[in-house]
Amino acid sequence: RFPETIGIIASKESAAYTDFLRILRNRWGGVRVLVQSTAVQGDGAVGDIVGAFRHFNNPLSSPLHKGEKRGLSDVLVLTRGGGSLEDHQAFNSEEVARAIFASPIPVVVGVGHERDVTIADLVADVRASTPSNAAELVVPDRRDVANEIAAMVDTMDAQMRLMCTSRRSALERFMHRGASFAQRRRAD
């Protein structure tokens, strides 16, 4: 629910990338974003995308984690904006589908517009309808979290007040019994 590091596979020059980052930062700040800029259409796109998955899923080859046995990111996001079926061809390739499916790191795919569906969407752990929706899915909204925390604090406060009232009543009963017992002992 609260990823510390998000890996994004996208073209750094794309509107999809900037939209993703804008929504991400508006919803939840302080997340580390690692970018593997790739071609998202055309001749080198499939190889670039598969290579980006290899990079994120092989921490031994990364200087960022110096041999740690975990991946570079808590979640990977593969994203690209809208376009024609031909523009999305890389996301319908078997190689990209296999790279997504084989990833031990959960993958969110947000390619195109809501009506666009690619094979990459179908094999991903989560399909986002757009790049912006991908950001909405990977991090919570800080306002929602603040409201949840406020509700939990209110619930704990009410429970503590109830417990204190109950304990106070029990203590008063005990004190009353003790005083009654002491009076009877003096009378005897």
Side-chain angles (χ1 to χ4, degrees):
R1 182 170 182 198
F2 301 103
E4 293 177 21
T5 304
I6 297 170
I8 182 165
I9 301 169
S11 169
K12 273 184 139 176
E13 289 79 37
S14 70
Y17 172 72
T18 56
D19 287 349
F20 177 86
L21 289 181
R22 181 179 46 80
I23 299 295
L24 184 79
R25 292 195 171 106
N26 286 343
R27 289 177 63 85
W28 191 260
V31 177
R32 184 171 163 212
V33 177
L34 302 176
V35 182
Q36 193 67 26
S37 189
T38 64
V40 290
Q41 72 181 59
D43 285 341
V46 170
D48 276 6
I49 294 168
V50 170
F53 274 99
R54 199 173 303 120
H55 166 79
F56 280 116
N57 286 306
N58 186 3
L60 297 178
S61 67
S62 171
L64 295 173
H65 283 276
K66 295 187 176 112
E68 288 183 26
K69 295 277 191 240
R70 67 177 197 81
L72 295 175
S73 301
D74 300 313
V75 62
L76 296 178
V77 178
L78 173 61
T79 190
R80 186 217 191 276
S84 68
L85 181 62
E86 292 77 26
D87 292 339
H88 292 159
Q89 199 55 45
F91 300 93
N92 286 313
S93 75
E94 180 179 351
E95 296 92 339
V96 169
R98 287 184 181 277
I100 293 167
F101 187 78
S103 177
I105 301 170
V107 177
V108 176
V109 172
V111 173
H113 300 294
E114 200 162 329
R115 61 179 158 58
D116 297 323
V117 179
T118 66
I119 292 172
D121 292 308
L122 301 176
V123 297
D125 295 290
V126 175
R127 177 192 182 265
S129 58
T130 63
S132 296
N133 180 236
E136 293 168 350
L137 293 172
V138 296
V139 295
D141 188 310
R142 67 173 52 99
R143 291 170 294 243
D144 293 340
V145 173
N147 290 337
E148 286 177 39
I149 291 170
M152 285 188 259
V153 167
D154 289 346
T155 300
M156 287 188 294
D157 184 52
Q159 289 174 343
M160 290 296 290
R161 287 179 190 278
L162 182 63
M163 187 175 73
C164 287
T165 300
S166 173
R167 300 293 167 122
R168 182 179 188 159
S169 295
L171 183 58
E172 287 172 354
R173 284 191 306 273
F174 178 75
M175 297 287 285
H176 180 69
R177 285 186 204 148
S180 296
F181 178 74
Q183 279 181 341
R184 279 193 308 247
R185 293 286 290 177
R186 275 191 229 125
D188 290 339

